[in-house]
Amino acid sequence: MRALLLLFLCVSCGPATAEFVRRPALPVAWPDPVALPRVEFEFSYAGAEDVERRGGFLGGLGRLLTGSAPPRLAAPYGIAVSPEGRVYVTDTGLGGVHELELATGAHRLLRGDGEPPLRSPVGVALAPDGRLFVTDSSTGRVHVLARDGETLAVLGSPEELGRPTGIVCDAARGRMLLTDTTGCRILALDLATLAFTAHGGRGEGPGEFNYPTNLALDAAGRVYVTDSLNFRVQVLSSDLEPLSAFGRAGSGPGCFAKPKGIALDAEGHIYVVDGMFDNVQVFDARGELLLAVARSGAGPGELSLPTGLAIDAAGRIFVADAGNARLSVFRFRSQP
């Protein structure tokens, strides 16, 4: 009885600190830790129960008694990170957007109340004023959600937007950029007028696309597009004029099979998810391959059918690990 009492005191007292229970015991890093690691796996997250707190025993007991269950990821796709560190993840399986505060374990699912309702949310981006813009590839619309999850507007139509997927905020130019995957074009949404304009079209030439999926911006306003069935990344100017491209079809280093999520870090490195290779390839500003991160599987540092990608101000790399129904989180380490 005394041992049981001591155990209870250990788990129910102390400061409310958070620790990710899926953090590996030994470093998982690329290149091999014997060399100087540049990207290191940190943790995975599938649901609120993956955050362990001191005192969490009582919370778990409360959920058991009330029958409530914390939200879990089902089919994560797009990711956006707020300046305050909140992580937003679209879930095509649940028809909503997860809002995560990983430091505290707070987790809620935003579904909105628009018409038509969210059915297949894919891309997510934050406007400077905190509005959340979510593409729905099934209904061909963009849902605009308030901070509390209320639907403020439902924009566009399948005739106007086709199949919208990736989306990124270009705050400097007051717009959202999104991909119409089946229409093989880029759409610009003016944040002031909420009007759309279209750019590009189907093809293999510069400024043409074949099933584009995701976008990213660099500090200079250049636009990076995963041009999936052209097996490349296209780089466009801030005016959406073609500048360059890198990548090709194949299974070797620097090649693509199913490129999806894309993001840039503070040092200008370009990260591209490949859903077929189950990895993230990292390129320099010229499009030269630096290294490949992750491998196929369900263990630490392993991915299955990854999709979206985002990088926060601290250099954490969030990957939507869809086949494992979780986020996998890595961190870039600068050279000393």
Side-chain angles (χ1 to χ4, degrees):
M1 177 63 73
R2 183 174 181 180
L4 183 61
L5 177 60
L6 288 173
L7 176 62
F8 177 82
L9 290 174
C10 287
V11 298
S12 62
C13 298
T17 59
E19 178 62 36
F20 296 97
V21 299
R22 297 198 181 189
R23 189 183 299 275
L26 297 175
V28 180
W30 293 263
D32 188 277
V34 173
L36 183 64
R38 300 305 307 277
V39 177
E40 184 175 348
F41 172 76
E42 288 213 330
F43 60 88
S44 62
Y45 178 91
E49 70 276 21
D50 284 347
V51 179
E52 179 184 59
R53 296 184 192 81
R54 292 182 181 272
F57 172 80
L58 294 180
L61 181 61
R63 287 193 298 271
L64 180 65
L65 294 175
T66 62
S68 64
R72 291 187 62 83
L73 304 180
Y77 193 104
I79 309 172
V81 184
S82 76
E84 300 78 24
R86 287 186 298 274
V87 182
Y88 294 90
V89 185
T90 59
D91 196 316
T92 58
L94 297 180
V97 181
H98 300 271
E99 181 189 66
L100 315 176
E101 295 186 21
L102 296 176
T104 66
H107 183 161
R108 61 177 181 156
L109 182 65
L110 311 177
R111 295 183 184 271
D113 55 0
E115 185 58 41
L118 277 170
R119 292 177 185 159
S120 183
V122 173
V124 57
L126 280 160
D129 60 7
R131 287 178 296 168
L132 204 63
F133 286 69
V134 184
T135 61
D136 191 320
S137 65
S138 175
T139 65
R141 291 173 170 86
V142 175
H143 288 241
V144 185
L145 306 182
R147 174 71 178 84
D148 62 3
E150 177 189 0
T151 298
L152 299 174
V154 179
L155 307 176
S157 66
E159 294 74 26
E160 185 177 16
L161 306 186
R163 190 175 181 85
T165 51
I167 186 169
V168 66
C169 181
D170 185 0
R173 292 157 192 83
R175 65 186 182 182
M176 292 282 172
L177 298 174
L178 52 151
T179 51
D180 170 10
T181 295
T182 55
C184 300
R185 58 188 180 158
I186 306 300
L187 301 171
L189 168 62
D190 187 292
L191 290 174
T193 66
L194 299 182
F196 293 91
T197 55
H199 305 264
R202 186 185 300 273
E204 299 178 357
E208 297 176 334
F209 306 97
N210 193 4
Y211 280 65
T213 53
N214 293 81
L215 312 101
L217 294 176
D218 67 13
R222 288 181 290 262
V223 183
Y224 297 74
V225 185
T226 46
D227 189 5
S228 292
L229 292 188
N230 281 327
F231 307 100
R232 66 186 179 185
V233 170
Q234 280 209 68
V235 185
L236 311 178
S237 71
S238 59
D239 296 324
L240 304 180
E241 295 296 327
L243 296 175
S244 62
F246 61 89
R248 62 187 186 279
S251 58
C255 296
F256 297 122
K258 189 181 284 187
K260 291 199 170 185
I262 185 168
L264 285 87
D265 67 19
E267 297 191 12
H269 303 117
I270 307 160
Y271 297 71
V272 184
V273 168
D274 198 296
M276 185 71 71
F277 298 153
D278 292 330
N279 71 4
V280 179
Q281 296 189 75
V282 186
F283 300 85
D284 66 14
R286 298 170 300 173
E288 298 292 331
L289 180 67
L290 298 175
L291 75 161
V293 174
R295 59 182 72 91
S296 297
E302 297 176 341
L303 302 172
S304 175
L305 303 175
T307 52
L309 176 74
I311 302 175
D312 70 7
R316 291 191 301 183
I317 305 156
F318 296 85
V319 181
D321 189 3
N324 288 320
R326 67 187 184 187
L327 291 182
S328 284
V329 185
F330 305 80
R331 188 186 293 273
F332 173 77
R333 307 290 184 186
S334 296
Q335 293 279 13

